[in-house]
Amino acid sequence: MFATLVGTNTGSSKHRTIFDKLYNVAIEHGFIPPDTPIHVQPDGPLNGWSLEQKGHIDMQADFILAVTEPRVPGISPIYPVFLSISGPLFAVVVLDSAFVVSRADRRDVSELKDSIDVENSFTSFIRALPRP
């Protein structure tokens, strides 16, 4: 089972489109979608964010898929929220003209211009994971 975090503090839904694509890619590759909503406390740095997090009750995950769209580039709730979930992270920060992708398997951050590139990077990421 994988875990997810999706959200924004902009009112936009651009992040949801890429999230839905990646979510479906994970299912197509045999990973079980998360079944338990996980509460996110919307205070402090998360004040004003609309966040949805799901995972497994034991807080273990085959991987974590996070897609956020922050009002201010570089300020995203991905890391504070995921301190309690165990699993390799694939994170996408949606900006106006690019996607910033962080992959735990490569321990790097890259800027991609197209959603197809993000999908290809994610497919490469999950293909390298142990089969569920």
Side-chain angles (χ1 to χ4, degrees):
M1 181 174 293
F2 62 98
T4 60
L5 172 69
V6 61
T8 187
N9 65 348
T10 67
S12 172
S13 62
K14 186 177 174 184
H15 67 288
R16 182 54 81 164
T17 302
I18 190 71
F19 172 80
D20 290 343
K21 284 182 184 181
L22 301 180
Y23 186 91
N24 288 329
V25 167
I27 293 169
E28 289 167 7
H29 280 82
F31 289 93
I32 299 169
D35 62 357
T36 304
I38 300 170
H39 178 71
V40 177
Q41 184 67 31
D43 61 2
L46 302 181
N47 190 28
W49 277 83
S50 167
L51 293 168
E52 172 188 307
Q53 184 176 18
K54 292 185 178 180
H56 190 269
I57 197 151
D58 69 1
M59 303 304 278
Q60 301 292 313
D62 294 321
F63 67 90
I64 303 160
L65 170 61
V67 180
T68 59
E69 186 176 2
R71 180 175 294 121
V72 178
I75 299 178
S76 179
I78 293 171
Y79 295 102
V81 170
F82 276 115
L83 292 176
S84 61
I85 296 178
S86 178
L89 175 65
F90 185 92
V92 180
V93 177
V94 179
L95 305 176
D96 288 337
S97 61
F99 302 92
V100 177
V101 174
S102 174
R103 293 177 55 160
D105 63 330
R106 293 189 179 166
R107 295 183 182 175
D108 72 356
V109 175
S110 55
E111 183 176 308
L112 304 175
K113 296 293 183 189
D114 190 279
S115 64
I116 297 298
D117 295 332
V118 176
E119 189 174 334
N120 290 339
S121 181
F122 181 64
T123 299
S124 168
F125 171 80
I126 61 174
R127 282 186 177 157
L129 296 172
R131 292 293 87 197

